[in-house]
Amino acid sequence: MDVTVFGGTGKIGRHVVRRLLRAGHHVTALVRSPEKLDITDDDLEVIVAELDDTAAVGRAVAGADAVISALGPPIDPFLRSGPLTAATRGIVAAMHESGVRRLVALATVSVPDPRDRPSLLDRLVPVGIGLLIPGALKEVQGISEVVTTSGLDWTLARITAPIDVSTNGTLRAGFLGRDHVGAPMARTDVAAFLVDQLVDDTFVGAAPAISN
C-alpha cells in the first residue's frame, strides 16, 4: 500500500514509519525536521514542510491508499494554541480532495466514545487533565472532533500512558467499562495497532481504547 504518515518524527510516529516499511509499504512522510526521522529506505519519500502548508499536505496525500496521523500535543501546561487541530482539518480536506478514504489517528482516553461505559475514575481523568494541561486536552478534543466528523473511514486509537519498553506481545483494544483495557502501552505496540488498522475494519468509525 501507499501510506502517508503525519507526525512521523514523533516517538510513536517513527515506530509507525519503520513498521510500515518492514511490512513492504511505500511511505510518504511529511515532516518539519527531517533529521529527526533518521530512517533511510528506498520506499520512504520525505516531504519537508510545515503542517499548515496546504499545497505540501495535498502532495503528501495525493495517490495514497491510506493516511496515518501520529500527531499529538506536547505535555505542556502552557500550551494555548491549537495548531494540530487545524493541521488535522487540513489533512482531512486534502483526503477528500484526493479521494483517500482511510484515516487512522491518535487520541487519548480523555475523549469519550459512545460505546464506553465509564467508571467514576474514567470520568475524572479528563477533568484532571483539563486542570493540569488544558491546552493539550483542547488539542486532543479538537483533533478527535475533526476526525470523527470527517465523513471518512476513520479509526481513532485512544491511548493513556505510552512508554518506551519492548513489546510484550499483548494487545487489548475495546471500550471503557466494557472491555479489559488498562493504561500503559509500549509505543512500539501503539504503532503496530495503527498500522494493523490498514487491513482491519473492526474499528472503522470507532475510537477504541488500547493498552498492553
Side-chain angles (χ1 to χ4, degrees), residues 21-135:
L21 292 171
R22 285 199 303 269
H25 299 293
H26 179 271
V27 179
T28 299
L30 186 143
V31 302
R32 181 175 61 180
S33 304
E35 70 277 3
K36 293 182 179 179
L37 190 55
D38 193 29
I39 301 171
T40 302
D41 193 285
D42 290 341
D43 281 319
L44 174 61
E45 177 184 355
V46 177
I47 296 176
V48 181
E50 299 286 342
L51 287 166
D52 61 359
D53 186 333
T54 303
V57 171
R59 289 198 308 274
V61 169
D65 297 302
V67 172
I68 295 179
S69 172
L71 297 172
I75 307 303
D76 181 356
F78 301 106
L79 179 67
R80 290 292 180 269
S81 61
L84 298 185
T85 299
T88 305
R89 194 174 292 115
I91 292 166
V92 167
M95 291 179 67
H96 280 293
E97 181 71 20
S98 294
V100 182
R101 296 291 309 166
R102 189 68 172 112
L103 173 61
V104 183
L106 276 177
T108 70
V109 293
S110 57
V111 175
D113 181 278
R115 283 149 283 226
D116 289 339
R117 295 174 184 168
S119 65
L120 176 60
L121 179 59
D122 293 329
R123 294 178 188 276
L124 289 176
V125 167
V127 175
I129 292 175
L131 291 173
L132 295 172
I133 44 175

Side-chain angles (χ1 to χ4, degrees), residues 1-25:
M1 297 177 68
D2 290 322
V3 184
T4 300
V5 176
F6 294 92
T9 59
K11 292 182 178 179
I12 293 174
R14 288 193 296 271
H15 289 300
V16 169
V17 172
R18 290 189 184 99
R19 188 172 184 88
L20 285 167
L21 292 171
R22 285 199 303 269
H25 299 293

